[in-house]
Amino acid sequence: FCFPLLMEKLSSDITDAKIDSLLTLSSCLEEYHSNYLVEHLEPLWTNCSHLTGSDVKLMRQCGRILQAVAQATEPACHRIIDWTFPLLLEQLTQDIEVSHKKNIIHIITNLLRAAKTFHRHPADSPLIKYKEAVSTTLFSFLANWSSTLCSVTVECFMVQLLVEHVTSIVLGSKEASLSHISSAALSQLSRNYPAIIISTVLPLLEMHLKAEEGSAMDIDNNQPLTTPVSHQCVLNTLGALCMDESIIHEVIPRLIEHVQRLCNEMNSHKDFQSQVCAVFQCILNIVEGSIQKGITSAAYFKQSLVPDIMKIVLKSALSDPKERTTGAISKDVLDTIAAILRTVTSNLDIEAARNLLEDFVGIYLDGNSSFLQETVDKKCLQFESTSPWEQTQLVSLLTATLCSARREVTVPRHSELIPRLQQIACHCDYSRSAESGAQCLAGIINKLPEGDELTSVVNGLVSKIWQVSEKEGSLKRATITWLWLTKALVIRSHPLAPLFIDKILSLLVDKNVGRAAGDGFYIIMADYEEVMSIKMHVNYRMMYRQRLFMETSPKLIGGFHSAKPEFKHHYLCALSHLLQWIPKQVLLSEVPNLMPLLVQSLSCDEQSLKLSTLQTMYSLVLDAPEIISRQVTSLVPMLLGLTKFQLSMKVRMEALKCLGALTTLPHHVVYPYKTKVCKALADSVDDKKRLVRKEAVKCRNEWFLLGSSVR
């Protein structure tokens, strides 16, 4: 009795009545047996012709009926799709309203879902013949200005199809911007569909990685893929995909295998070293991003990444010189690997970090590589100052690990490590190894617990560091080691820190290392990412920079006045580095005493000193105008001279910035120099460097406007 009534209502001229009838029929079709429907099929199909009408409400309800019928049987699904898809696709190509297109896409989406219930494998699907037409039409809507149309289009896409298409854009587009946008799209898809990314995208990217110079080779039939892809593009895409833990677990082993293949090819690529470095940079980005976003724990990388990296490094460092692939232990590669180790270690819990440190110390002191699941000959791994540079430079990886663990983690066997590190720092001829040894030594000292043991260790180092040999550079290495130890003690405000500072001050009058001692205040004051930073869990006390400045600046000023002329610039360098890192409040309180020295620093030959002084001077012009005003007579000629300093573009630019800032001083102070400055800046406006010319024009305009109403 129900169907005749519904069919009668369906023939009504009232839209709401039609919609009610269609909604009821749609629900009935999912429940009632098909026998009840046979005699009403013809009028029902006739009323479903609303698919081609302009009534949006009726169209949607007809679509629901069609979906219900398509879900009934496989033959019905075939018939419905073959009948409706040509009509729907034809309408999408017409100039109709967005709401109309949106409803058509909704109907297509529902029919796709109905087909999926019968056809799990794409080859058997009735949709195959319409795949190209549907894809082309829908992709044209992805760039539409209407966000709602884009949304329903994305919803309509079969994710597999979308992933394949976007991947083809990434690997085939010559436009960098389009490739970047497509890579970002894959990154978003990887959050929700990691399994599809693993099965569809990763194999393609791996093919490209395996191919020489980035152009992929099909492993099965040995036919080249159509488009060569840059090595860096593949790596960027792999990094972008790592938005799910399961993907990361697939990508990391692939990247490690890729590095191993590159190393085994014995430098056959002309850009071998850059490729190895790029792979490790990709791994670093994945490690940092996944840990920061909470996708993967540092413990996973400790277990599955660190041992493989160390195998590659040790194999390269310990191999026969004739067979060695130096790209795996080049400076850039080791720096990147060190960053990976720092990131992993600094994010490990106490127990995991302790285990990792014990493993590393075992490698360096005993040659025990059991945690690598690979034997390294104890006799080959020499951790001495006289060892080959390929091996001693690996101390940078030890530094990255030991000095980045949490403060609660005591460095294992530090009593054995400290003398070894001191020997490398002070007596190794390879400067990179020596400085890394000094950094590692300082990092250990910084985190040792307070007490008699620490005092005893530091006193022991005091007596050993200055036992220098006659070899060239020995005194400088001792000085660098002393500077890093000073930093370790100053940061934690250790009672022995003043002893170390006084020693540095005494070295300022040494003709061999005076300059190194002056520049050493940069080491003490600056922030270093690789060691003794907040992220690396440094042991520090607040305001240590201010305390050091207040205690040291009077000694530097006094030493400057009493020193011989050839040593005065050492004191100025030291003072300049101190000023660079202290807060403005502290600086302003000391400006009256420091100003004569700053002015004199501008006439020194050292470029770095000129640059840092100009930067300080610029801040003072804005923050202490009354003090700078007293020095204008000497400052203006000096700054004008520095605008023509040909040895450094940066010095010329900073001098122009300072000159421009002088126009903010009281009018009566600077106006008398207007004509002189504007005339002298004519040369700078014609400087050979564009950035200097730009700064010169800005500065000259400021001086031209002095005294005008425009200003």
Side-chain angles (χ1 to χ4, degrees):
F1 301 104
C2 181
F3 269 105
L5 295 174
L6 289 173
M7 297 306 298
E8 181 181 354
K9 194 174 182 180
L10 190 59
S11 62
S12 171
D13 294 332
I14 302 173
T15 300
D16 288 341
K18 288 177 178 286
I19 293 174
D20 289 340
S21 177
L22 288 168
L23 285 172
T24 308
L25 280 169
S26 177
S27 300
C28 291
L29 290 173
E30 296 177 0
E31 301 294 335
Y32 293 176
H33 195 276
S34 59
N35 292 337
Y36 298 110
L37 188 63
V38 172
E39 60 183 289
H40 304 287
L41 280 178
E42 186 174 346
L44 182 60
W45 283 119
T46 302
N47 280 282
C48 283
S49 65
H50 292 295
L51 282 180
T52 57
S54 59
D55 195 320
V56 174
K57 293 182 179 179
L58 289 175
M59 177 186 291
R60 178 173 292 186
Q61 307 314 324
C62 287
R64 291 185 61 180
I65 290 180
L66 290 172
Q67 180 188 7
V69 174
Q71 287 176 329
T73 65
E74 186 174 338
C77 182
H78 277 262
R79 293 288 299 276
I80 293 293
I81 288 175
D82 286 337
W83 179 73
T84 58
F85 266 51
L87 293 174
L88 296 172
L89 290 172
E90 182 182 357
Q91 289 189 78
L92 284 176
T93 61
Q94 298 174 0
D95 186 17
I96 55 178
E97 293 182 0
V98 170
S99 59
H100 198 167
K101 290 183 178 181
K102 179 180 175 181
N103 277 294
I104 294 174
I105 295 173
H106 271 305
I107 294 172
I108 292 176
T109 303
N110 292 333
L111 292 176
L112 289 173
R113 289 171 179 163
K116 195 174 181 180
T117 60
F118 299 108
H119 306 282
R120 296 293 182 182
H121 300 289
D124 304 327
S125 175
L127 300 170
I128 288 295
K129 66 179 78 173
Y130 304 106
K131 177 181 177 181
E132 190 66 32
V134 172
S135 300
T136 303
T137 304
L138 293 181
F139 274 120
S140 69
F141 295 147
L142 286 177
N144 195 279
W145 60 268
S146 171
S147 59
T148 56
L149 189 57
C150 288
S151 299
V152 295
T153 302
V154 171
E155 181 184 358
C156 177
F157 262 120
M158 295 175 66
V159 177
Q160 180 80 24
L161 184 65
L162 181 61
V163 168
E164 290 174 0
H165 186 79
V166 175
T167 304
S168 67
I169 295 176
V170 171
L171 298 178
S173 174
K174 295 181 180 180
E175 292 290 334
S177 58
L178 180 58
S179 179
H180 177 74
I181 293 172
S182 301
S183 180
L186 282 179
S187 178
Q188 292 297 323
L189 288 167
S190 66
R191 298 173 188 267
N192 299 320
Y193 307 100
I196 294 177
I197 295 294
I198 291 171
S199 62
T200 303
V201 183
L202 293 190
L204 283 173
L205 295 176
E206 188 174 21
M207 286 183 191
H208 285 272
L209 282 182
K210 289 180 178 179
E212 186 174 0
E213 297 183 0
S215 59
M217 185 72 71
D218 192 321
I219 297 173
D220 295 329
N221 55 24
N222 213 32
Q223 292 295 317
L225 294 180
T226 54
T227 307
V229 185
S230 74
H231 185 254
Q232 190 60 56
C233 174
V234 177
L235 294 177
N236 291 343
T237 306
L238 281 170
L241 293 177
C242 291
M243 304 304 293
D244 183 86
E245 187 172 26
S246 61
I247 299 177
I248 293 173
H249 290 182
E250 293 287 336
V251 169
I252 290 295
R254 282 175 163 87
L255 290 175
I256 290 295
E257 289 174 8
H258 180 49
V259 172
Q260 291 169 338
R261 285 195 299 269
L262 288 174
C263 293
N264 291 336
E265 289 174 3
M266 293 299 296
N267 303 351
S268 61
H269 291 298
K270 59 184 179 181
D271 53 353
F272 163 75
Q273 292 192 11
S274 63
Q275 285 193 352
V276 172
C277 189
V279 177
F280 279 116
Q281 184 62 52
C282 178
I283 293 174
L284 173 61
N285 295 339
I286 293 171
V287 171
E288 289 180 338
S290 61
I291 291 178
Q292 183 180 7
K293 296 170 185 174
I295 300 173
T296 307
S297 67
Y300 163 74
F301 295 111
K302 168 189 174 291
Q303 188 72 28
S304 303
L305 174 64
V306 172
D308 289 329
I309 289 179
M310 291 304 295
K311 287 179 194 176
I312 294 171
V313 171
L314 290 172
K315 181 179 179 180
S316 181
L318 300 177
S319 61
D320 186 278
K322 296 179 181 179
E323 302 176 357
R324 181 175 295 134
T325 54
T326 55
I329 54 173
S330 66
K331 178 184 182 300
D332 291 340
V333 169
L334 286 182
D335 286 344
T336 308
I337 292 175
I340 295 172
L341 295 176
R342 282 195 302 272
T343 305
V344 173
T345 309
S346 62
N347 286 281
L348 289 173
D349 60 38
I350 295 175
E351 188 60 32
R354 183 180 292 114
N355 293 337
L356 183 62
L357 265 58
E358 289 175 353
D359 291 334
F360 264 74
V361 171
I363 289 178
Y364 282 81
L365 291 183
D366 308 323
N368 179 8
S369 56
S370 57
F371 93 103
L372 305 180
Q373 290 86 45
E374 186 172 294
T375 303
V376 177
D377 189 350
K378 179 179 178 181
K379 294 180 180 179
C380 291
L381 187 62
Q382 302 171 18
F383 189 51
E384 305 289 347
S385 61
T386 56
S387 302
W389 68 268
E390 294 89 349
Q391 296 180 36
T392 59
Q393 70 169 346
L394 299 188
V395 72
S396 63
L397 306 186
L398 183 66
T399 304
T401 309
L402 298 187
C403 300
S404 58
R406 300 178 187 275
R407 286 172 55 184
E408 297 85 352
V409 181
T410 304
V411 175
R413 301 171 66 182
H414 58 265
S415 59
E416 298 176 61
L417 276 171
I418 288 174
R420 295 273 195 99
L421 290 168
Q422 184 266 320
Q423 281 290 317
I424 291 175
C426 296
H427 301 289
C428 183
D429 292 333
Y430 188 55
S431 59
R432 176 176 169 79
S433 302
E435 183 159 14
S436 294
Q439 290 177 340
C440 190
L441 179 63
I444 294 173
I445 295 297
N446 175 259
K447 291 184 181 178
L448 281 181
E450 291 283 355
D452 295 338
E453 183 187 11
L454 174 58
T455 303
S456 174
V457 169
V458 173
N459 286 330
L461 289 171
V462 170
S463 62
K464 291 179 181 178
I465 287 175
W466 298 109
Q467 295 175 0
V468 296
S469 65
E470 297 297 325
K471 287 175 31 175
E472 183 180 357
S474 181
L475 182 58
K476 185 176 180 180
R477 286 193 293 271
T479 303
I480 297 298
T481 304
W482 189 269
L483 290 167
W484 279 104
L485 285 174
T486 304
K487 181 182 182 73
L489 297 173
V490 166
I491 288 179
R492 62 183 293 172
S493 297
H494 192 273
L496 290 176
L499 169 68
F500 279 70
I501 291 293
D502 289 342
K503 177 63 177 178
I504 297 173
L505 294 175
S506 70
L507 293 174
L508 292 173
V509 293
D510 188 294
K511 63 180 181 180
N512 295 314
V513 295
R515 176 58 197 274
D519 285 339
F521 278 91
Y522 180 87
I523 292 177
I524 299 170
M525 297 289 282
D527 289 320
Y528 286 84
E529 182 181 353
E530 59 265 29
V531 64
M532 289 185 284
S533 65
I534 300 296
K535 290 176 65 175
M536 299 301 116
H537 309 290
V538 63
N539 180 7
Y540 82 108
R541 288 185 62 187
M542 299 289 289
M543 301 176 67
Y544 72 89
R545 290 189 176 98
Q546 292 90 313
R547 284 193 295 274
L548 178 63
F549 175 79
M550 298 304 293
E551 294 169 0
T552 308
S553 59
K555 297 178 182 179
L556 288 172
I557 295 172
F560 170 82
H561 291 300
S562 61
K564 295 179 180 180
E566 62 266 29
F567 298 130
K568 286 184 179 293
H569 71 284
H570 297 163
Y571 289 89
L572 294 176
C573 286
L575 193 59
S576 175
H577 292 311
L578 282 177
L579 294 174
Q580 191 176 351
W581 293 94
I582 62 171
K584 285 185 178 179
Q585 297 86 341
V586 178
L587 173 60
L588 294 177
S589 65
E590 297 296 320
V591 166
N593 297 329
L594 298 173
M595 200 62 208
L597 276 71
L598 290 173
V599 173
Q600 190 163 346
S601 297
L602 294 177
S603 58
C604 288
D605 295 333
E606 302 291 339
Q607 293 184 32
S608 60
L609 178 57
K610 289 180 187 290
L611 191 60
S612 62
T613 303
L614 285 169
Q615 291 167 347
T616 303
M617 198 72 73
Y618 177 79
S619 298
L620 291 176
V621 172
L622 303 177
D623 297 325
E626 68 284 352
I627 299 174
I628 297 296
S629 297
R630 302 173 199 154
Q631 305 289 334
V632 167
T633 303
S634 57
L635 273 179
V636 170
M638 282 187 172
L639 292 174
L640 286 175
L642 290 174
T643 61
K644 300 177 177 63
F645 187 73
Q646 293 303 313
L647 297 179
S648 172
M649 178 186 77
K650 290 183 178 180
V651 168
R652 299 200 300 277
M653 291 176 61
E654 287 296 330
L656 288 165
K657 285 180 64 176
C658 283
L659 265 177
L662 288 181
T663 61
T664 62
L665 296 177
H667 181 268
H668 70 278
V669 174
V670 292
Y671 187 76
Y673 301 94
K674 175 179 177 178
T675 303
K676 179 180 179 180
V677 172
C678 291
K679 183 178 180 181
L681 288 178
D683 292 336
S684 298
V685 172
D686 197 32
D687 195 277
K688 60 184 178 182
K689 294 292 186 180
R690 181 183 62 83
L691 292 177
V692 177
R693 294 196 300 270
K694 181 179 177 181
E695 203 64 55
V697 169
K698 182 179 177 182
C699 176
R700 200 182 191 201
N701 287 344
E702 294 291 338
W703 280 91
F704 264 126
L705 293 175
L706 270 179
S708 69
S709 58
V710 177
R711 184 175 176 84

